[in-house]
Amino acid sequence: AAGVIQSPRHLIKEKRETATLKCYPIPRHDTVYWYQQGPGQDPQFLISFYEKMQSDKGSIPDRFSAQQFSDYHSELNMSSLELGDSALYFCASSPVGGAHYGYTFGSGTRLTVV
Amino acid sequence: AQTVTQSQPEMSVQEAETVTLSCTYDTSESDYYLFWYKQPPSRQMILVIRQEAYKQQNATENRFSVNFQKAAKSFSLKISDSQLGDAAMYFCAYRSARNTDKLIFGTGTRLQVFP
């Protein structure tokens, strides 16, 4: 079965650079969620989109932005990167009204800022 | 604000034995959903089991079952007949039934399985 696809799998950036993470949800899933998991920490909710509109917002820094496109894939743009942005970034998806069944997560993008 | 607490940073179990992972949560809401996610070394977050707060019956998925005590705000995970492949980080998570997408995770319990 198709899963949530995230790219790239690994990314190394320097401080003050920009990074773009991509997420391709499961077919017919129209809701996408982004989470950040710092080293040894639990995942923290960043933002979510439903039908290309932002549906909920968590602790996402102003330096980060995200959007969902017409094909339902989503991109997380991170600018002015800081060392503290080094983390595992998860994308998850669910069908409309199906979030209470639990999301399906991607394998994550490990971002390292040096 | 809701919080999720996992008081056991690490647990270990012998293969084929049973282990219980603890989770408590704090909320003023009456309707919500609870989940256990598994994160193996591959890093993928895998849904293990879910529970709807309005259902009194404890959820079961093969070797995995929960003990949901709504009044005590407790949601423990029992793994029976533990297997080496069960070794992972386990996260308990809460989601309000209100209009929010956010999953609130606990800090996780690392489970080791010994042969």
Side-chain angles (χ1 to χ4, degrees), chain A residues 1-112:
Chain A
V4 177
I5 307 297
Q6 289 188 248
S7 68
R9 187 120 165 105
H10 301 273
L11 190 58
I12 299 175
K13 290 285 185 178
E14 294 188 353
K15 281 193 303 184
R16 293 179 288 277
E17 284 193 318
T18 297
T20 298
L21 310 186
K22 297 185 178 182
C23 170
Y24 297 86
I26 290 173
R28 292 182 295 281
H29 281 197
D30 49 17
T31 307
V32 169
Y33 315 84
W34 285 96
Y35 282 79
Q36 178 193 56
Q37 186 179 24
Q41 297 180 0
D42 53 291
Q44 296 291 318
F45 175 71
L46 292 177
I47 198 167
S48 61
F49 291 88
Y50 165 65
E51 283 291 343
K52 293 151 281 184
M53 299 288 289
Q54 180 183 306
S55 60
D56 201 357
K57 192 173 180 180
S59 49
I60 184 169
D62 292 340
R63 299 177 289 106
F64 293 7
S65 65
Q67 58 182 324
Q68 186 180 32
F69 295 86
S70 57
D71 63 351
Y72 297 109
H73 95 271
S74 178
E75 295 183 3
L76 177 65
N77 296 292
M78 310 159 69
S79 63
S80 303
L81 287 169
E82 303 173 356
L83 295 178
D85 296 329
S86 296
L88 190 56
Y89 290 84
F90 282 110
C91 173
S93 72
S94 70
V96 59
H100 57 281
Y101 290 107
Y103 312 152
T104 300
F105 281 87
S107 297
T109 293
R110 183 169 295 285
L111 172 66
T112 302

Side-chain angles (χ1 to χ4, degrees), chain A residues 9-10 31 33 35 37 41-43 45 48 55-56 88 90 99-103 105-108 110, chain B residues 33 35 37 39 42-47 50 52 89 91 95 99-108:
Chain A
R9 187 120 165 105
H10 301 273
T31 307
Y33 315 84
Y35 282 79
Q37 186 179 24
Q41 297 180 0
D42 53 291
F45 175 71
S48 61
S55 60
D56 201 357
L88 190 56
F90 282 110
H100 57 281
Y101 290 107
Y103 312 152
F105 281 87
S107 297
R110 183 169 295 285
Chain B
Y33 305 94
F35 307 88
Y37 279 90
Q39 188 175 38
S42 66
R43 311 176 319 192
Q44 177 120 29
M45 294 287 283
I46 302 166
L47 178 63
R50 60 182 289 273
E52 296 162 355
M89 195 74 164
F91 289 97
R95 179 179 177 268
N99 190 25
T100 176
D101 295 333
K102 184 169 63 174
L103 275 179
I104 299 170
F105 287 89
T107 51

Side-chain angles (χ1 to χ4, degrees), chain B residues 10-17 19 81-87 110-115:
Chain B
E10 288 191 8
M11 291 284 284
S12 60
V13 64
Q14 203 100 28
E15 205 175 0
E17 297 293 306
V19 65
D81 186 25
S82 297
Q83 300 175 1
L84 295 177
D86 294 334
R110 182 169 302 281
L111 177 67
Q112 293 183 306
V113 181
F114 294 104

